[in-house]
Amino acid sequence: MLEMQVFEVPDGGKQLLSVICDEETAPPFPDASCIMQEALQLQGGWKSEEIRWIYGQLDEKDRWSPELLRALASIDQETGGPWRLFVRACVVRGPLTGVEALGLGSNQKKMQRSAGVALALAAIRARRVSPPSPGGSELLQPLFDFVNGIGIRAVGIDRVEDLPLPRFASAGMEGCGSSNSSGSSGS
């Protein structure tokens, strides 16, 4: 049974799914690369050139929208995990171009794994991925069940707007469409 913390966070008029990876060995995180590849119909895993990885921290107020930073700070406060680290993953080429999501974790491995799962969930939620046929993928079915709320014990998708939001002063923003490449692709 999957146990994930998934949040919907606002950023520049969009709502992005954000997944926290506390324990990288807990399902579905060990299979995150395969899940991401299968859901997004991409090859190359974490090194895929079809995905742009933009790494960030909550104290980088000039790179990210204030609403995104407030939402992520609220998640930290609500979950009791001082992550302060996140990655925005964006599909930049391929059949699912434009799908984006956030991964939160205390190190690069956890951020990537959570972002890979978040991208798959975002594609499934947007109905851009077909459900597995009976006897098909065993990796994606639990994510479809999670999105559809069938028998999955999890925190679920919470709207961050319901949480108290701390205030940050900021003017800048970095997103998938940004030409700023300081948050380069990583391994």
Side-chain angles (χ1 to χ4, degrees), residues 19-95:
V19 173
I20 297 173
C21 177
D22 283 326
E23 180 53 56
E24 64 204 50
T25 60
F29 300 112
D31 296 317
S33 181
C34 294
I35 288 168
M36 178 185 71
Q37 288 180 99
E38 187 170 335
L40 302 178
Q41 303 166 33
L42 301 175
Q43 298 299 314
W46 309 125
K47 296 188 184 287
S48 172
E49 293 183 9
E50 287 83 13
I51 298 174
R52 181 173 181 214
W53 303 92
I54 308 167
Y55 293 88
Q57 298 180 0
L58 291 181
D59 57 0
E60 297 175 329
K61 295 175 178 67
D62 58 333
R63 286 186 60 204
W64 305 96
S65 72
E67 66 185 344
L68 176 64
L69 292 175
R70 282 194 303 272
L72 294 176
S74 293
I75 290 171
D76 279 1
Q77 186 177 29
E78 179 75 14
T79 62
W83 305 113
R84 306 198 67 77
L85 300 173
F86 60 95
V87 62
R88 183 180 194 134
C90 315
V91 180
V92 295
R93 285 196 305 257

